[in-house]
Amino acid sequence: FREQNRRQEGNEEYVFYDGPPFATGLPHYGHILAGTIKDVVTRYAATNGYHVTRRFGWDCHGLPVEYEIDQKLQVKSSDDVKRMGMDVYNEECRSIVMRYSGEWRTTIERLGRWIDFDNDYKTLDTPFMESVWWVFKQLHAKELVYRGFKVMPYSTACHTPLSNFESGLNYKDVNDPAVVVSFPVFLPDGSDGIDGASAYAGIDGAKSRAANASIPAIKNGVIPAGARLCAWTTTPWTLPSNVALCVNPAFTYVAIQSNKSGDVFIVAEARVAELPGYSDGKKKKKGAPDTPPTYTVLHKFPGSDLKGLHYYPLFGTFSKCFTDPLQAYRVCVDGYVTDDSGTGVVHQAPAFGADDNRVCLAHGIIVKGGFIPDPIDDDGRFDEQVSSIGITGIHVKEADKKIVETLKEMKRLVSNNSLVHSYPFCWRSDTPLIYKAVPSWFVKVESIKDRIVANNEKTYWVPSFVKEKRFKDWLVNANDWAVSRNRYWGTPIPIWANDDYSEMEVFGSI
């Protein structure tokens, strides 16, 4: 191996990019198979006269290392790291990154792979980190880097967002609450039964009623007195962050009245059976007598007629955060709402759902780079913004019961059931993931997507169908790339900035 490299010094260089493994675990079949393929490719290049530099590398940063130390030191939250000091924590990480390097070398050399272990590289080496900084600075100079928020799978145990790939590694069937919650509609004539002066700062009942006067469903007289929109959710913990509702503009919706209580609800026509005690009165078995229907449909109308309709908030947690009293707490329309479950009305919490975020941006409920209602800290616990609900300090998955009890006391709980469904868990900590808007640094992939796809056409792929199907499809649908992670042990993003990011310096080296 060394003699071959010596003889070919000065020849054209064959550059082979290899993703290095972690040395915190032992090599397995996947490493051995991939390593064998890589050895074949580089040996073939060398036999064709190229000089091929082959240095073994070690991935020393990131979640796998931190997770090991968290287990060792019983780190449960980011506060634990702050108390011990980031320098102490990082030294603990540094101490284990080469734990199994000897075993790796023995295994790889036993396989006969030609690669240099004596002149290896580590991602924690300063020159390597500086090479990453240099790339980041080039991207920034080309205006391909920006700071934004993105709703991503988030591990509250590991305090970091995960990739979509990582979030799909560990699904489990869980039993979650499935609740239907009511949202009273403001009516221009005041027949909504809501106090004119809202209990929530920032909500103006008079303005909401006036704005609703121009909504087609109101103008057409299909929203009766006391009508309430009904939204279904399996994540009650997101309800304190509700700022909008969403319906499908193409669906038919109904104003339907309970023959027992007189309550009037608005749901999709196809989902009336979701209402408690619903029966259409038709006999279910041959010979069985008909029974009186439990509900009466008062009006039917398209979902598009509900667009812009203002409703009374649940908790009003963030009502004072909107400068315009009509900006939030209104109905949006979007085709992502389905009629195969729920009520056909989806509650929107833009910090905790990708579709919620997209819909709220499109309807001006929130703005890019602006305020997003989010009362959840890095550990997945509610902060002081929701102190009035009594859930401060409680983890989101433990807060559902308290929130449901509060909704019942407020007479806003229409039904309370449970649902067994498949749910993503963190593959490292084996704890439930949530979806959360996290501040991240992004590379603008979408703006250069056409060039990337064109370069893929010039690339020789084996097997060829990867080029034409799997990889091309991934490139065509690629979104801006979130390159940052909320980690302690990693390559720092090379940006020095003031608090509001109005002044910023990007560095390419130390």
Side-chain angles (χ1 to χ4, degrees):
F1 169 53
R2 290 183 174 81
E3 179 62 19
Q4 182 188 62
N5 279 346
R6 186 191 66 78
R7 292 187 180 190
Q8 292 175 334
E9 283 180 3
N11 291 5
E12 184 178 352
E13 191 74 26
Y14 182 86
V15 180
F16 185 85
Y17 293 105
D18 184 6
F22 287 96
T24 50
L26 293 168
H28 54 67
Y29 172 78
H31 296 117
I32 293 169
L33 175 61
T36 302
I37 296 171
K38 294 170 184 177
D39 194 34
V40 169
V41 172
T42 51
R43 285 201 193 207
Y44 179 77
T47 58
N48 281 275
Y50 290 96
H51 180 258
V52 188
T53 300
R54 283 159 279 184
R55 297 171 61 195
F56 201 83
W58 304 101
D59 191 345
C60 302
H61 284 144
L63 181 57
V65 178
E66 288 196 19
Y67 182 71
E68 291 267 347
I69 296 304
D70 288 349
Q71 300 304 300
K72 175 185 175 182
L73 303 180
Q74 296 295 301
V75 172
K76 301 298 183 184
S77 72
S78 54
D79 288 338
D80 294 338
V81 177
K82 293 172 185 175
R83 278 192 290 270
M84 75 173 66
M86 194 188 307
D87 55 342
V88 175
Y89 182 83
N90 279 353
E91 282 306 314
E92 287 285 348
C93 291
R94 190 188 306 276
S95 70
I96 70 166
V97 294
M98 299 303 289
R99 177 191 292 164
Y100 295 116
S101 59
E103 288 85 347
W104 271 89
R105 180 166 187 166
T106 299
T107 300
I108 300 303
E109 290 183 344
R110 183 182 175 193
L111 286 167
R113 182 180 175 185
W114 279 8
I115 196 161
D116 189 351
F117 275 94
D118 295 326
N119 187 32
D120 59 4
Y121 72 90
K122 303 175 184 67
T123 59
L124 59 73
D125 293 338
T126 300
F128 184 91
M129 289 194 288
E130 284 185 301
S131 73
V132 177
W133 283 17
W134 180 87
V135 171
F136 189 90
K137 183 174 183 179
Q138 302 310 303
L139 291 169
H140 183 266
K142 295 176 181 179
E143 299 184 344
L144 291 173
V145 172
Y146 69 95
R147 184 179 185 271
F149 288 86
K150 186 174 184 179
V151 177
M152 303 175 71
Y154 183 87
S155 171
T156 59
C158 296
H159 320 126
T160 189
L162 304 182
S163 69
N164 288 326
F165 173 77
E166 290 173 306
S167 70
L169 293 175
N170 186 18
Y171 267 81
K172 297 184 180 183
D173 286 340
V174 297
N175 194 330
D176 274 333
V179 300
V180 175
V181 183
S182 68
F183 298 82
V185 176
F186 283 107
L187 295 176
D189 61 3
S191 62
D192 46 48
I194 303 170
D195 292 339
S198 169
Y200 306 129
I203 298 297
D204 191 316
K207 286 186 177 180
S208 295
R209 291 193 178 95
N212 275 356
S214 62
I215 303 300
I218 298 289
K219 290 165 63 177
N220 297 336
V222 297
I223 305 294
R228 293 180 283 167
L229 292 151
C230 289
W232 177 84
T233 182
T234 59
T235 54
W237 64 267
T238 63
L239 289 169
S241 303
N242 171 268
V243 290
L245 298 173
C246 189
V247 301
N248 191 311
F251 288 173
T252 296
Y253 286 77
V254 295
I256 187 170
Q257 186 172 36
S258 168
N259 294 334
K260 180 179 180 180
S261 67
D263 292 334
V264 179
F265 302 117
I266 298 172
V267 296
E269 182 181 27
R271 299 304 306 167
V272 292
E274 193 68 34
L275 295 171
Y278 176 83
S279 171
D280 58 11
K282 296 178 181 179
K283 56 187 178 185
K284 306 302 180 187
K285 294 181 180 179
K286 187 176 181 179
D290 288 345
T291 57
T294 55
Y295 286 82
T296 300
V297 174
L298 304 178
H299 300 284
K300 296 183 181 183
F301 43 89
S304 56
D305 283 2
L306 293 170
K307 183 179 181 180
L309 186 69
H310 287 264
Y311 63 86
Y312 197 64
L314 269 180
F315 302 107
T317 314
F318 296 100
S319 57
K320 60 182 178 295
C321 299
F322 295 95
T323 54
D324 181 353
L326 299 179
Q327 184 176 343
Y329 308 111
R330 52 189 167 92
V331 176
C332 307
V333 295
D334 192 88
Y336 95 93
V337 178
T338 66
D339 60 1
D340 57 0
S341 63
T343 62
V345 181
V346 181
H347 112 82
Q348 304 291 289
F352 305 114
D355 283 317
D356 303 41
N357 190 276
R358 174 182 59 80
V359 169
C360 287
L361 278 171
H363 288 77
I365 307 291
I366 60 173
V367 296
K368 238 177 192 179
F371 164 74
I372 297 181
D374 179 4
I376 310 299
D377 66 18
D378 291 344
D379 298 318
R381 300 180 184 279
F382 283 97
D383 61 23
E384 290 293 335
Q385 295 179 88
V386 291
S387 57
S388 62
I389 308 174
I391 53 176
T392 298
I394 300 177
H395 190 273
V396 292
K397 284 296 184 178
E398 299 169 356
D400 282 340
K401 184 177 180 181
K402 171 64 177 175
I403 291 171
V404 170
E405 289 174 353
T406 303
L407 292 171
K408 186 176 181 180
E409 294 169 1
M410 297 167 62
K411 299 186 179 350
R412 301 289 287 273
L413 185 66
V414 177
S415 69
N416 180 20
N417 298 301
S418 61
L419 173 74
V420 175
H421 63 147
S422 186
Y423 193 85
F425 278 62
C426 176
W427 67 286
R428 288 287 177 185
S429 62
D430 203 34
T431 55
L433 297 176
I434 64 173
Y435 284 82
K436 178 177 168 62
V438 295
S440 295
W441 290 98
F442 292 85
V443 174
K444 295 180 181 178
V445 174
E446 294 172 27
S447 65
I448 57 173
K449 189 184 298 184
D450 291 344
R451 290 164 56 193
I452 296 174
V453 172
N455 282 333
N456 183 55
E457 293 298 322
K458 303 174 186 176
T459 305
Y460 181 70
W461 279 91
V462 178
S464 60
F465 69 80
V466 177
K467 169 184 176 179
E468 299 299 331
K469 295 180 181 179
R470 184 187 305 171
F471 197 73
K472 182 178 180 180
D473 290 344
W474 181 73
L475 291 176
V476 168
N477 295 295
N479 297 314
D480 287 353
W481 179 22
V483 295
S484 59
R485 293 290 183 270
N486 297 359
R487 305 253 48 90
Y488 294 103
W489 178 244
T491 300
I493 297 291
I495 293 176
W496 276 253
N498 58 359
D499 290 340
D500 63 2
Y501 292 89
S502 59
E503 295 182 35
M504 201 165 66
E505 293 288 342
V506 179
F507 297 88
S509 67
I510 293 176

